[in-house]
């Protein structure tokens, strides 16, 4: 059966502030399926700040990238029958034609374009959308980053930036469970209160209204052992200047620069602090650890079952709500994992 699909595309180049006018829906007639292909219908579309970086490099008319959970609605591939649920990078699109045998190389691993939902979702009291959050890239990066990359140890002090975000709110809960002292920085007093009172962070501050150096004097008088840096820019500079000797910085992203490629944020005036305190800096690309995803999901599921962590989802209804949800996320309006239900 021929389908008409809707795809969110970039309407015009972004100069200055990103607005809903920069997005446009394109309607397309889908072609007939070839042997081996499937048609999927989007159910949940993941909203992620990295899309801002893709947009900065996109030309008008190009589709907006992103991950989604979808249901197979037509199939010419017996391994992917009608009704099967899949997760993959189909973008902000209502329907997609996919050859499920195709792969892409990410972090040195050959990763399928579409995959079945994690087995951990079977019989778990979690929504399917958890495949994009707690059991998806945010949860996996949080768990693998803490346990494999920075080898967090009980008694250490961790500072998390974008601490109420999709990944940040999980990093803090897992770090608490490992036995760390957890300090979060976020962009509103409401979100700071949420991560402290509901998620159990030891300290939480609003970096927009509170002085970072002053707050760290109180919350981390011995210095910061691990800095989970999702943001970059001046917030990072202030935190790095308050690290302990042999501190470790884990660079997961650079939110402050995604919309500002002309003057990307830089580490400034830090060389001496890094040298004298012998601080190490490491990046993390969660796909490099693709071989650990299943065991990490098992560990996350166990923590969830024991009620030691919860994945908070901010679910918005309707395909047309994608641009506004995305802009709200960048503006810090939402908290936890942002998902649009289609
Ligand atoms: N390395 C990897 O494998 C990997 C995997 C996934 C994601 N990432 C990266 O990890 C970081 C966190 O990703 P996420 O998906 O969890 O997103 P997120 O933290 O939920 O991002 C949205 C939040 O970022 C904060 N923010 C936005 N612009 C900011 C700015 N200019 N300065 C400071 N904060 C800003 C806002 O929170 P506030 O109100 O608190 O400022 C906003 O709510 C991103 O950099 C992402 O690209 C890395």
């Amino acid at each position: 059966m021929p389908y008409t699909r809707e795809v969110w595309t970039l309407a015009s180049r972004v100069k200055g502030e990103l607005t809903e006018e920069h997005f446009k829906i394109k309607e397309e007639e889908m072609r007939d399926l070839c042997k081996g292909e499937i048609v999927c219908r989007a159910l949940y579309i993941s909203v992620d700040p990295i899309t801002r970086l893709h947009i900065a490099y996109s030309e008008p008319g190009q589709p907006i990238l992103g991950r989604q959970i979808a249901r197979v609605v037509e199939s010419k591939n017996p391994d992917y029958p009608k009704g099967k649920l899949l997760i993959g990078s189909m973008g902000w699109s209502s329907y997609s034609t996919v050859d499920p045998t195709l792969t892409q190389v990410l972090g040195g691993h050959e990763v399928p374009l579409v995959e079945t939902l994690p087995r951990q979702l079977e019989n778990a009291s979690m929504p399917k959308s958890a495949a994009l959050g707690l059991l998806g890239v945010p949860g996996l990066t949080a768990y693998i980053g803490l346990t494999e990359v920075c080898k967090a140890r009980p008694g250490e002090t961790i500072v998390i930036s974008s601490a109420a975000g999709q990944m940040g709110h999980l990093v803090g809960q897992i770090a608490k469970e490992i036995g760390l002292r957890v300090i979060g920085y976020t962009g509103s007093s409401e979100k700071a209160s949420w991560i402290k009172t509901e998620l159990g962070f030891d300290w939480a501050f609003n970096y927009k209204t509170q002085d970072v150096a002053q707050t760290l004097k109180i919350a981390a008088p011995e210095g910061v052992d691990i800095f989970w840096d999702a943001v970059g820019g001046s917030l990072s500079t202030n935190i790095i200047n308050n690290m302990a000797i042999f501190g470790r910085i884990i660079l997961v992203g650079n939110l402050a620069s995604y919309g500002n490629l002309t003057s990307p944020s830089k580490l400034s005036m830090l060389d001496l602090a890094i040298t004298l305190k012998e601080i190490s800096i490491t990046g993390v690309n969660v796909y490099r650890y693709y071989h650990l995803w299943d065991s990490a999901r098992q560990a996350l599921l166990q923590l969830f079952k024991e009620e030691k962590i919860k994945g908070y989802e901010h679910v918005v209804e309707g395909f047309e709500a994608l641009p506004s949800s995305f802009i709200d996320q960048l503006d810090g309006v939402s908290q936890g994992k942002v998902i649009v239900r289609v």
Side-chain angles (χ1 to χ4, degrees):
M1 183 213 294
Y3 289 89
T4 304
R5 70 172 189 161
E6 292 185 315
V7 183
W8 276 108
T9 61
L10 188 65
S12 59
R13 277 196 168 281
V14 186
K15 295 182 190 116
E17 199 186 338
L18 180 75
T19 67
E20 288 186 49
E21 280 66 50
H22 288 109
F23 297 89
K24 189 177 165 188
I25 287 186
K26 193 160 82 182
E27 279 201 2
E28 291 175 354
E29 292 298 319
M30 293 171 74
R31 59 173 172 76
D32 288 337
L33 281 186
C34 298
K35 193 174 171 206
E37 288 183 332
I38 55 175
V39 174
C40 315
R41 179 192 177 284
L43 299 179
Y44 299 99
I45 300 183
S46 180
V47 179
D48 297 286
I50 195 70
T51 300
R52 182 67 189 85
L53 191 61
H54 296 145
I55 286 173
Y57 288 109
S58 295
E59 295 296 328
Q62 281 190 288
I64 308 296
L65 305 183
R67 285 173 73 72
Q68 60 167 256
I69 294 172
R71 188 184 298 284
V72 178
V73 289
E74 289 292 327
S75 177
K76 286 200 172 176
N77 186 323
D79 294 333
Y80 294 84
K82 255 184 177 181
K84 198 175 177 83
L85 292 178
L86 299 171
I87 182 166
S89 301
M90 286 82 105
W92 290 14
S93 175
S94 59
Y95 287 88
S96 311
T97 301
V98 182
D99 176 349
T101 59
L102 293 181
T103 58
Q104 54 191 332
V105 176
L106 295 171
H109 291 273
E110 201 168 332
V111 179
L113 276 187
V114 291
E115 296 176 84
T116 50
L117 296 195
R119 66 185 177 93
Q120 288 77 9
L121 276 173
E122 286 160 25
N123 307 318
S125 55
M126 271 188 224
K128 298 277 179 273
S129 49
L132 298 169
L134 180 59
L135 298 181
V137 167
L140 292 166
T141 314
Y143 186 81
I144 292 170
L146 281 172
T147 56
E148 291 292 323
V149 183
C150 59
K151 308 228 183 277
R153 295 183 292 267
E156 291 190 311
T157 296
I158 186 170
V159 167
I160 302 161
S161 60
S162 195
Q166 324 204 95
M167 188 191 297
H169 84 289
L170 298 171
V171 176
Q173 295 178 77
I174 299 166
K176 271 308 296 172
E177 207 31 53
I178 296 173
L180 282 86
R181 180 186 174 88
V182 176
I183 304 163
Y185 283 87
T186 183
S188 78
S189 304
E190 292 73 25
K191 290 198 287 187
S193 164
W194 174 62
I195 57 176
K196 187 161 187 302
T197 55
E198 285 197 38
L199 304 185
F201 285 43
D202 296 291
W203 296 89
F205 302 106
N206 177 350
Y207 69 86
K208 290 182 180 163
T209 58
Q210 294 178 280
D211 183 272
V212 173
Q214 290 298 325
T215 50
L216 281 178
K217 262 190 203 135
I218 299 162
E222 310 288 322
V224 175
D225 299 305
I226 301 173
F227 172 28
W228 187 279
D229 188 3
V231 171
S234 59
L235 177 60
S236 297
T237 306
N238 287 330
I239 293 168
I240 294 170
N241 279 324
N242 290 281
M243 303 258 332
I245 292 168
F246 303 130
R248 285 109 73 204
I249 302 168
I250 176 160
L251 290 180
V252 292
N254 201 318
L255 285 160
S257 72
Y258 291 170
N260 184 13
L261 294 183
T262 46
S263 52
S265 64
K266 297 187 183 90
L267 296 177
S268 59
M269 302 298 288
L270 290 169
D271 308 32
L272 205 55
I274 289 171
T275 306
L276 295 179
K277 291 184 178 170
E278 299 184 51
I279 290 168
S280 53
I281 306 180
T282 179
V284 59
N285 174 356
V286 73
Y287 283 95
R288 181 106 27 226
Y289 302 87
Y290 188 66
H291 56 295
L292 300 180
W293 283 24
D294 186 62
S295 58
R297 283 184 173 126
Q298 246 350 84
L300 288 163
L301 177 66
Q302 193 56 32
L303 289 170
F304 171 80
K305 280 185 177 165
E306 291 168 10
E307 299 188 356
K308 289 176 175 158
I309 58 170
K310 31 189 168 186
Y312 181 86
E313 294 184 359
H314 177 91
V315 181
V316 182
E317 297 294 335
F319 186 73
E320 60 292 343
L322 274 160
S324 58
S325 309
F326 177 56
I327 290 167
D328 279 355
Q329 179 182 58
L330 295 177
D331 289 347
V333 174
S334 39
Q335 61 195 39
K337 174 70 210 141
V338 183
I339 291 167
V340 167
R341 183 162 36 207
V342 181

